[in-house]
């Protein structure tokens, strides 16, 4: 059984493959650009994205829209996470957080899955903190500055460990239980 992961980010594909291997589901990385609307809800981006992709005739796929929401920055970068990562990067976020004591942040991942013609949309959350320096070489994006336990960054742990705690790992667990409820796997 195969699921296409439609993304430009190989890091996401690695994480999905790690989560689905035990179910015998293989991930196929598909680069297929689609329009992402600008809105305040990750779920809305995913819903619209699924419509766009289905119009192209693609079935049995996963897309995900994720964002880092930092309390002291009133939820920034949030739905602008991709833009902020490309422009100011982790260094810029750390500069904005200089001398800020409230370092709480939430990572969110909304997955849209088309499987056997059915639509499943789930959102996973990981609460954590923004570190004061970048740490680690694993992962991608904000991983070096986000910590789920206040000590280690997501870039200091393996893909498998990250999946145990992360927003994407939590979303995948919801997705798998919904696929099972619907007897799709
Ligand atoms: P996207 O639009 O879902 O691809 O993600 C928005 C931004 O958040 C991009 O810059 C990603 O690199 C970053 N991002 C998404 N998921 C993660 C993650 O699991 N760890 C670190 N950064 C992430």
């Amino acid at each position: 059984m195969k699921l296409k992961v439609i993304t430009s980010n190989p890091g996401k594909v690695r994480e999905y493959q790690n989560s689905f291997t035990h179910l015998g589901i293989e991930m196929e990385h598909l680069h297929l650009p689609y329009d992402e609307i600008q809105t305040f809800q990750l779920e809305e981006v995913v819903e619209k994205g699924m419509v766009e992709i289905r119009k192209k005739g693609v079935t049995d796929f996963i897309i995900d829209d994720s964002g880092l929401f930092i309390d002291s920055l009133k939820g920034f970068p949030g739905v602008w996470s991709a833009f902020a990562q490309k422009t100011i990067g982790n260094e810029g976020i750390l500069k904005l957080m200089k001398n800020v004591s409230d370092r709480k942040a939430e990572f969110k991942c909304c997955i849209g899955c088309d499987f056997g013609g059915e639509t499943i949309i789930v959102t996973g959350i990981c609460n954590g903190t923004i570190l004061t320096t970048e740490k680690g070489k694993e992962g991608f994006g904000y991983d070096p500055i986000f910590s789920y336990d206040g000590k280690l960054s997501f870039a200091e742990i393996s893909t498998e460990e990250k999946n145990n705690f992360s927003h994407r790992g939590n979303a995948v667990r919801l997705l798998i239980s919904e696929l099972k409820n619907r007897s799709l796997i």
Side-chain angles (χ1 to χ4, degrees), residues 3-20 27-31 34 36 42 45-46 62-67 81-82 107-112 138-143 159 162-163 166-169 172:
L3 261 181
K4 302 169 191 86
V5 186
I6 302 176
T7 178
S8 57
N9 182 342
K12 287 188 184 180
V13 185
R14 250 194 325 272
E15 292 181 15
Y16 283 117
Q17 187 58 72
N18 183 279
S19 296
F20 280 97
M27 299 291 128
E28 181 190 340
H29 188 180
L30 185 60
H31 290 271
Y34 60 94
E36 283 191 26
L42 301 178
V45 179
V46 165
I62 278 181
I63 54 172
D64 101 32
D65 197 41
S66 305
S81 291
F107 236 135
K108 276 193 204 171
C109 171
C110 177
I111 300 178
E138 304 296 322
F140 59 90
Y142 296 100
D143 282 344
T159 302
K162 181 181 170 188
N163 278 338
S166 76
H167 46 311
R168 187 160 299 105
V172 166

Side-chain angles (χ1 to χ4, degrees), residues 162-176:
K162 181 181 170 188
N163 278 338
N164 284 337
F165 304 102
S166 76
H167 46 311
R168 187 160 299 105
N170 288 332
V172 166
R173 278 178 279 281
L174 292 173
L175 172 60
I176 289 174

Side-chain angles (χ1 to χ4, degrees), residues 38-39 45 56 65 67 81 85 87 94-95 100 127 129 131 134-136 139 142 144 153 155 177 183:
Q38 191 63 61
T39 153
V45 179
K56 297 175 195 277
D65 197 41
S81 291
Q85 181 64 221
T87 51
L94 292 180
K95 262 193 201 148
V100 173
N127 288 300
T129 50
L131 297 167
E134 293 188 53
K135 294 202 298 173
Y142 296 100
S153 80
S177 87
S183 304

